[in-house]
Amino acid sequence: MDKFVYFFGAGATEGNVKMKAVLGGKGANLADMAQLGLPVPPGFTITTEACAKYYEIGKEKLFAAIKREVEAALARLEAVTGKTFGKGPNPLLVSVRSGAAASMPGMMDTVLNLGLNAETAKALVEKTGNERFVLDSRRRFIQMFGNVVLGVEHHDFEHELAAVKAAKKMKLDTDLDCAALREVIARYLAVVKKATGRPFPEDPMAQLWAGVEAVFSSWNNPRAIKYREINDIRGLLGTAVNVQSMVFGNTGARSATGVAFTRNPSTGENKYFYGEYLINAQGEDVVAGIRTPQQITVAGSREWAKNHGVSEAVRKKEFPALEEAMPELFKQFSDIRVMLEKHYKDMQDMEFTIEDGTLYMLQTRNGKRTAAAAVKIAMDLVKEGLIDEKTAVLRVEPEQLDQLLHPVFKKGCEKSAKALVRGLNASPGAATGQVVFTAEAAEAWSKKDKKVILVRTETSPEDIGGMIVAQGILTSRGGMTSHAAVVARGMGTCCVAGAGDVLVDAKAKKFAVGKTTVKEGDWISLNGSTGMVYLGQLPTEDPQLTGPFADIMALADKFRKLGVRTNADSPEDTTRAVSFGAEGIGLCRTEHMFFDTPGKNEGRTIAIRRLILVAEEVKSIQRQMKIEGDAKALKELQAKLARPMKQYEQALKDLLPLQRKDFIGIFKALKGRPCTVRLLDPPLHEFLPQDDKGRKEMAKQMGITADAVKKLVDGLHEFNPMLGHRGCRLGISYSEVTEMQARAICEAAAQVKDSHAEIMIPLVGNVKEFASQKGHILKIKAEVEKQKKVTLDIKVGTMIEVPRAAITADDIAKEADFFSFGTNDLTQMGCGFSRDDAEKFLSYYKEKGIYDYNPFEVLDQEGVGKLVKIASNLARGVKPDIKLGICGEHGGEPKTIAFCHAIGLNYVSCSPFRVPIARLAAAQANITAPR
Ligand code: ADP
Ligand code: MG
Ligand code: MG
C-alpha cells in the first residue's frame, strides 16, 4: 500500500529532509526541524503524490484512499497535543498549509485556525479565559476559509472590517475589542451566506477536508501556474498539504509572529539577525503590511528608525526590537539561527510564532535573495568554511546575474536630482519610468514600449503580471518581507517599499507626498539600493564588476572549459564585453557598416544604394560580354558597361576606408583577442527605403526619379527573403563586395598589432560556395600582405546555419578553418519555422507540450541540437582540432550552454550583457558534468 501521510513532531517524525519531492519543501523541513529537536508544533503532511492522484482520479476516490491514514494521523495529533479536534474542553485547531517541492512563496493557499466553530470557540474561551483572542482567531478563520475554500472575494470581507473600524473609530486590527470583533464576525457570516447561498460550514471534519481540497486545487490556480512558468519549475507532482496544530501569536502582549532571515536577503550582509515581527498578531500580518513591523535586533531597529525618521525614544516605546521586548526568546531564536544555517549550509528564511512566551518554528527554507546577496553569501560561506568553491559557483543562478548587469544611476546624478521621498531599499537597482497605479495599466503601457513604475499602497499576488513588466515598484505600506519586496527581489526588479509618506489615490490616478502630486504618466526614478525616490528621469550607466561579483566570476573561470565570446559590432560594445570577461568576438556583424548611424552622415548608406542601383546592370552586361562573339557588339557592350561600372567601383571605393576604420576600432578594443567577422548577410532590399518619403529622398540624392527607385525596390522583392538572395549568395553574385570587405579587414589587421581576424562566410550550404568565397579572400590577403610587407593571422571559416551544411560538414571542414553555428537560422531552417511568424503557433505548441520551450530561445536539443552534434562530429572526423563555436541568440542561454559544453564546442558567443551569465553557466556545466 502506498503511504500518503507522514507525521511530524514530538519524537514521532516519519519523514525526513531528503523527501522534498513527496513532502514538499515545507513538509520536509518541518520534519527535519522536528528531528533536530527544534520547537515545531506537531502535525502531518499529506504527500504530493496524493495531490497528483487528486488530479488523476478525482477528489472522491482520492479522499476514500487516504481517509484512514488522515484520521489516524489526526488521532495521533490529538494524543500528542492532548487536545481534541472539533470538541472541548481543549479543542485542537490546525493550519492547513500548501507546500510544493520548489518554493513558491504566497502562490498557493493556506488556512489558519481551522476547527473553530461556535462550540469549539466557546470551549476555547473557557479554557483560555481570553475571549478577544478567540474572537480574533474566529474572524480570521472565517475570512481565510471563506476566501480560500469558499471562493468569497477577499475584498468583501475587508469592506466589512473597514466599516466596523470606521464606525467605531478604530484604526488597527489590534484596536478591535470583543464587541467590535463580534460585529465583524456577524458581518462575515452574512457575507459568506450571501455569496455562497449557504451558512458557513460548522463541522470541523468537513472544514478539514474542504481545506485539503482547496490546497490541492490551489496548485493549479492561475497565479501558481504563471509562477511556475516564469520560474521554469517543471516536472513536480503537485503540492503537499501540511496539517499542523496551531500555535497562537495573537493571544496578547506576550505573543508575536514574524519572519526572519539568517542574513540580509537584499545585500547578503551578515551584520545582524535580520527580520521583522509583530506583537499580538497572526500568520501573514507581518507580510501583509497592515501594521508597521518591528525589527528583530536593536541594531536593525535603529537602522530602520533612522531610515524612517523615527526618534530613538519613539522607537523604543512603540517599535521595540524583539531583542528588547523579549530578550530571552531573542537569545533562543538567535541560537536557532546559527544552528539552522550551519545545518543547511545556506541562508535561511524562517517563520516563527511566540505564544505566551514560548517560541515555535513554523518554517525554514533556503531564502530567496537578490543576485547581489546570492553572490556575496556564496563567497562568504566559502570564507567561513561552510561550503567549497564549486558549491559556491552552483549557488548562484546564472540568469539572476542579469540583475547585477543592469544599469545603475550615473555617479553624482542623484545629488542634483529632486528627492521626493525615502522608503525601504527592498530590492536593489536603479529604475526610471512613468507612474501607473494598476497592474493592468502597467501591462498595457509596457505593451506600447513604455517604461513604467508601478505605484501601489501594497501589492498582492494578483499584481504579478504588472510587477513583471514594470521597471520598478513603489509601495507606501509593508516592510522588507512584504509581498512587493519579496516578489520584486525574486524577479530582480528594483523596489522601494513602505514609503509611508506616499499617499496613493489609485482611483484618481495620482499620489501625493506632502505638497507634491505625481500623476499617472509622470516620470519618477527609484534607487532600490538606498530606498530613495526622485522626481523625473535620472541618467544611468553600466555597473562595475567588483567585489564578490568579481570573485565569483574568477571562480567560474577557474572551473569552466567552454570559452565565452561576445556578439559585438562596435568598439563600445566590444570594450563593454571585454570588461565583462569576453575572450573575443564570436560574431561581428558587418551590416551596420553599410549604414550611416542616424545624425552622422558618412556616406555609407548612399554608397551601398549607389552600388545596388547598378549591380544587376553591371552583372548582366558582363554576362552578355562573355558570350558575345562579335567584336563590334562587344565594343558596344564595353561602352555600355563603363558608366554603371564606374558607379559600382566608386561605391566600393567609398565604403572601403569607412569599414577599415570600423575594424581598426574593434581590433584595438579587443587588445589581441580574436574576432570573427561575418561578411555581408542580409538581403539587399534591407538597405533601400521602404516608404514613399524615403524613396523620394533617395531619388533626389541619386539624381533619378522616384519611379526608378520604386522599380528598383520592386525588382528586389522576394517571396521569401529569408531563403532568398542573401548571405554568401550575395558574395557569389557580387564577389567585389566580398573582396572589398576582405580588404578592409586585412588592411585593418595589418595596421593594428596583434589582431586575429577570423573571416566568416554566412549561409553556406555547399562546400563549393565556401571554396569560391575563400578564394577571393585569400587572394586579397596575399595582396595586402605583399603591399604592406606583413604576415597576417587571418583564418577563413563558415557559419553553419543551413541544414545542408550541417550534414555535409565533413566536406566543408576540409576547406574551413573554423565553424560557428548560427542557431537562429539553423532553427528556422531546421524546424522549418519562420522566426517572425512562429509566435502565432508556438504558444499552442508549448501548451500541448510539443516543444517545452520556444526553440528560438532555448535550443531544441533533440532536433537542431542534433544537427549541431552531427556537424561537429563530421568536422572533427576530418579535422580533429577544428575550432567550433555557437553565435546564435542561444549562446547566452544557460541550458543551451550546458549542451554546448557537453558536445565539446570550444566557445559560445552572446551579447555583451550576457557574458557573465554565460561564464557562470559554463562553469556550472563543467562542475555538474566535467568534460
Ligand atoms: P506560505 O507558504 O504562503 O508562507 P504558510 O503555510 O507558511 O504559507 O502559512 C503562512 C503563515 O501562517 C506562516 O507564516 C505562519 O506564520 C502562519 N502559520 C501557519 N501554520 C501555522 C500554525 N500551525 N500555527 C501558527 N501559525 C501558523
Ligand atoms: Mg510560509
Ligand atoms: Mg544567419
Side-chain angles (χ1 to χ4, degrees):
M1 252 285 286
D2 287 339
K3 184 172 167 62
F4 288 111
V5 178
Y6 289 79
F7 196 81
F8 61 84
T13 303
E14 298 175 320
N16 64 57
V17 72
K18 295 203 181 92
M19 295 174 67
K20 277 212 167 85
V22 276
L23 298 180
K26 198 182 286 169
N29 281 5
L30 282 170
D32 197 35
M33 284 199 292
Q35 272 175 353
L36 290 168
L38 294 178
V40 175
F44 55 88
T45 305
I46 308 174
T47 63
T48 57
E49 283 163 352
C51 182
K53 275 226 145 49
Y54 165 85
Y55 284 105
E56 196 184 306
I57 61 177
K59 169 181 123 175
E60 310 293 332
K61 283 190 184 156
L62 186 262
F63 282 5
I66 64 173
K67 188 160 182 280
R68 282 235 182 127
E69 271 189 88
V70 169
E71 283 171 357
L74 192 61
R76 193 168 185 179
L77 191 56
E78 290 181 323
V80 162
T81 55
K83 299 180 180 181
T84 39
F85 186 65
K87 273 203 284 292
N90 191 3
L92 170 67
L93 301 189
V94 297
S95 59
V96 176
R97 318 173 64 187
S98 55
S103 115
M104 300 166 53
M107 290 302 136
M108 292 179 297
D109 293 327
T110 284
V111 180
L112 305 182
N113 308 324
L114 190 137
L116 262 184
N117 58 16
E119 188 193 329
T120 49
K122 198 162 149 248
L124 204 58
V125 175
E126 272 161 30
K127 167 98 201 329
T128 60
N130 187 346
E131 189 182 6
R132 192 199 172 277
F133 146 65
V134 177
L135 291 169
D136 183 53
S137 302
R138 190 147 150 78
R139 64 105 187 163
R140 288 170 184 273
F141 173 54
I142 298 168
Q143 171 159 4
M144 271 187 131
F145 190 92
N147 178 242
V148 167
V149 182
L150 305 174
V152 182
E153 291 286 331
H154 181 72
H155 172 84
D156 293 347
F157 292 113
E158 286 298 313
H159 182 76
E160 298 298 333
L161 183 64
V164 174
K165 277 189 195 164
K168 308 224 172 203
K169 299 211 165 53
M170 294 165 169
K171 241 178 96 188
L172 298 174
D173 293 1
T174 39
D175 296 339
L176 297 167
D177 55 18
C178 288
L181 285 168
R182 259 185 236 113
E183 168 82 25
V184 172
I185 290 169
R187 286 179 179 233
Y188 275 14
L189 290 173
V191 165
V192 170
K193 181 107 192 265
K194 186 165 167 225
T196 64
R198 272 181 234 181
F200 188 83
E202 286 280 288
D203 172 22
M205 223 40 213
Q207 291 175 354
L208 179 63
W209 285 109
V212 171
E213 190 192 0
V215 170
F216 279 155
S217 70
S218 72
W219 173 251
N220 274 340
N221 73 32
R223 71 184 129 93
I225 291 175
K226 194 159 187 178
Y227 185 92
R228 289 198 291 275
E229 195 184 304
I230 293 163
N231 292 283
D232 197 19
I233 298 172
R234 291 156 186 272
L236 301 188
L237 292 166
T239 180
V241 182
N242 300 286
V243 178
Q244 187 175 27
S245 50
M246 282 299 298
V247 289
F248 299 100
N250 58 333
T251 64
R254 292 183 60 233
S255 297
T257 186
V259 181
F261 296 86
T262 55
R263 293 168 198 240
N264 187 324
S266 183
T267 62
E269 274 170 356
N270 194 15
K271 278 200 303 210
Y272 48 74
F273 191 7
Y274 189 86
E276 298 175 326
Y277 80 109
L278 279 173
I279 289 178
N280 196 14
Q282 191 181 61
E284 309 279 56
D285 289 5
V286 177
V287 187
I290 43 185
R291 273 158 66 197
T292 304
Q294 294 156 234
Q295 308 299 306
I296 301 286
T297 57
V298 175
S301 186
R302 293 218 167 108
E303 197 164 314
W304 168 86
K306 205 178 100 199
N307 288 342
H308 283 75
V310 174
S311 74
E312 175 64 8
V314 172
R315 182 198 73 74
K316 255 187 126 161
K317 187 159 157 279
E318 286 179 35
F319 307 102
L322 185 70
E323 190 175 0
E324 294 163 301
M326 305 178 180
E328 268 153 44
L329 289 167
F330 169 76
K331 173 87 193 12
Q332 184 193 353
F333 192 24
S334 296
D335 291 345
I336 292 176
R337 166 202 187 197
V338 174
M339 170 185 181
L340 283 180
E341 198 172 83
K342 284 223 168 94
H343 179 69
Y344 291 108
K345 302 185 186 338
D346 199 358
M347 186 266 272
Q348 295 296 296
D349 166 354
M350 300 163 294
E351 293 172 1
F352 67 98
T353 284
I354 293 164
E355 176 181 327
D356 293 326
T358 306
L359 172 71
Y360 294 96
M361 296 301 296
L362 290 170
Q363 190 172 343
T364 190
R365 63 180 164 214
N366 295 340
K368 296 241 179 275
R369 62 202 77 179
T370 62
V375 166
K376 173 152 176 57
I377 290 170
M379 291 313 300
D380 283 351
L381 290 179
V382 171
K383 280 182 214 141
E384 291 163 31
L386 248 68
I387 59 174
D388 62 13
E389 290 180 337
K390 284 183 181 171
T391 309
V393 170
L394 293 173
R395 278 285 168 84
V396 182
E397 272 294 319
E399 288 286 357
Q400 217 190 0
L401 289 182
D402 189 44
Q403 290 175 28
L404 299 177
L405 302 167
H406 278 312
V408 292
F409 286 130
K410 264 213 174 94
K411 265 211 181 72
C413 82
E414 285 176 273
K415 275 202 194 106
S416 50
K418 266 204 199 139
L420 181 63
V421 67
R422 182 177 189 147
L424 297 173
N425 52 339
S427 179
T432 285
Q434 291 175 278
V435 170
V436 292
F437 292 95
T438 61
E440 297 82 67
E443 291 189 69
W445 287 47
S446 77
K447 272 210 188 92
K448 289 185 213 147
D449 278 336
K450 292 191 175 173
K451 294 183 167 184
V452 299
I453 305 270
L454 180 60
V455 181
R456 314 257 315 140
T457 307
E458 59 203 347
T459 63
S460 70
E462 284 89 69
D463 294 328
I464 283 281
M467 297 172 78
I468 292 169
V469 297
Q471 306 291 312
I473 298 157
L474 169 64
T475 68
S476 58
R477 274 202 233 152
M480 291 298 276
T481 53
S482 65
H483 179 266
V486 171
V487 173
R489 279 199 295 274
M491 300 190 307
T493 300
C494 163
C495 175
V496 174
D501 294 337
V502 170
L503 297 175
V504 179
D505 185 348
K507 267 216 183 104
K509 298 188 182 171
K510 61 181 189 189
F511 73 83
V513 179
K515 284 187 190 136
T516 313
T517 302
V518 179
K519 293 191 292 296
E520 183 178 63
D522 289 351
W523 286 85
I524 60 169
S525 300
L526 310 181
N527 185 337
S529 312
T530 61
M532 284 305 300
V533 180
Y534 303 94
L535 284 175
Q537 248 177 304
L538 298 195
T540 54
E541 66 184 3
D542 279 356
Q544 300 288 315
L545 294 200
T546 53
F549 191 6
D551 297 342
I552 203 125
M553 282 295 119
L555 280 189
D557 290 346
K558 180 169 158 185
F559 293 118
R560 75 185 158 92
K561 289 271 170 66
L562 200 57
V564 176
R565 294 198 191 181
T566 192
N567 299 350
D569 55 19
S570 71
E572 297 76 43
D573 275 358
T574 307
T575 304
R576 167 182 290 149
V578 165
S579 82
F580 285 167
E583 294 157 295
I585 288 180
L587 174 62
C588 174
R589 298 181 172 93
T590 54
E591 39 269 31
H592 291 160
M593 298 179 183
F594 290 90
F595 261 129
D596 289 328
T597 32
K600 194 173 163 202
N601 186 354
E602 291 179 296
R604 293 169 195 255
T605 315
I606 193 167
I608 185 67
R609 286 177 175 174
R610 283 222 157 94
L611 181 136
I612 296 169
L613 201 59
V614 295
E616 248 336 286
E617 194 181 347
V618 166
K619 293 298 156 182
S620 141
I621 299 172
Q622 282 177 339
R623 261 193 310 272
Q624 288 174 48
M625 283 167 66
K626 268 202 194 125
I627 50 170
E628 187 53 71
D630 180 54
K632 192 170 156 242
L634 196 64
K635 251 213 161 113
E636 271 167 24
L637 282 171
Q638 219 149 24
K640 207 171 144 200
L641 180 63
R643 190 200 49 84
M645 194 63 194
K646 197 172 154 218
Q647 182 168 333
Y648 188 77
E649 284 173 341
Q650 187 58 47
L652 291 169
K653 242 186 227 154
D654 290 345
L655 283 166
L656 175 69
L658 292 167
Q659 300 213 348
R660 187 174 53 216
K661 187 180 79 184
D662 292 338
F663 289 120
I664 289 173
I666 292 168
F667 293 164
K668 279 188 177 158
L670 277 168
K671 300 203 171 79
R673 295 173 183 84
C675 180
T676 306
V677 182
R678 179 179 71 184
L679 299 185
L680 186 62
D681 184 53
L684 293 182
H685 76 85
E686 287 190 13
F687 295 103
L688 296 179
Q690 305 300 320
D691 58 0
D692 252 2
K693 186 168 160 265
R695 273 178 224 147
K696 273 194 196 123
E697 246 165 59
M698 174 169 165
K700 211 168 127 202
Q701 258 183 340
M702 308 263 149
I704 52 175
T705 63
D707 224 34
V709 175
K710 188 166 178 305
K711 233 168 140 185
L712 178 69
V713 174
D714 290 347
L716 286 172
H717 169 81
E718 292 178 309
F719 288 104
N720 195 341
M722 195 231 333
L723 302 174
H725 197 182
R726 55 169 287 222
C728 68
R729 297 157 203 175
L730 290 173
I732 301 281
S733 320
Y734 314 124
S735 54
E736 297 82 0
V737 178
T738 302
E739 294 193 358
M740 179 277 291
Q741 287 202 287
R743 190 178 298 279
I745 295 165
C746 291
E747 289 180 355
Q751 207 169 318
V752 181
K753 235 177 51 202
D754 201 17
S755 330
H756 308 279
E758 303 169 340
I759 299 178
M760 177 158 77
I761 299 162
L763 221 69
V764 165
N766 182 322
V767 64
K768 290 178 191 161
E769 290 172 307
F770 180 79
S772 152
Q773 290 292 290
K774 184 179 159 188
H776 290 286
I777 294 165
L778 293 184
K779 181 186 91 187
I780 299 295
K781 176 177 174 250
E783 275 177 31
V784 173
E785 282 179 326
K786 198 166 157 214
Q787 237 170 38
K788 309 271 174 197
K789 300 193 176 62
V790 287
T791 328
L792 296 174
D793 175 25
I794 286 179
K795 298 191 171 67
V796 186
T798 181
M799 205 128 163
I800 302 287
E801 52 188 338
V802 175
R804 192 186 189 285
I807 55 176
T808 59
D810 42 354
D811 292 336
I812 300 174
K814 282 179 205 140
E815 294 283 338
D817 297 328
F818 64 89
F819 282 179
S820 177
F821 291 97
T823 46
N824 297 344
D825 271 308
L826 195 58
T827 299
Q828 295 208 82
M829 288 180 241
C831 297
F833 293 164
S834 148
R835 177 155 72 163
D836 303 316
D837 304 311
E839 281 308 321
K840 274 186 221 142
F841 55 84
L842 275 180
S843 59
Y844 296 102
Y845 274 49
K846 272 174 33 188
E847 225 169 77
K848 297 220 154 81
I850 296 171
Y851 279 87
D852 282 344
Y853 302 95
N854 180 335
F856 293 104
E857 286 163 14
V858 180
L859 186 74
D860 157 40
Q861 294 182 11
E862 298 80 38
V864 180
K866 196 165 181 178
L867 283 172
V868 174
K869 211 156 123 181
I870 290 171
S872 302
N873 291 339
L874 287 174
R876 288 200 204 98
V878 296
K879 201 175 266 179
D881 54 358
I882 186 167
K883 204 186 252 180
L884 304 172
I886 169 180
C887 65
E889 301 289 313
H890 304 92
E893 193 281 315
K895 282 186 269 290
T896 309
I897 291 171
F899 175 79
C900 295
H901 166 81
I903 64 167
L905 297 194
N906 298 91
Y907 68 87
V908 296
S909 188
C910 55
S911 73
F913 280 110
R914 294 199 74 85
V915 166
I917 296 171
R919 286 160 75 194
L920 185 62
Q924 293 186 346
N926 195 41
I927 290 169
T928 34
R931 81 174 197 205

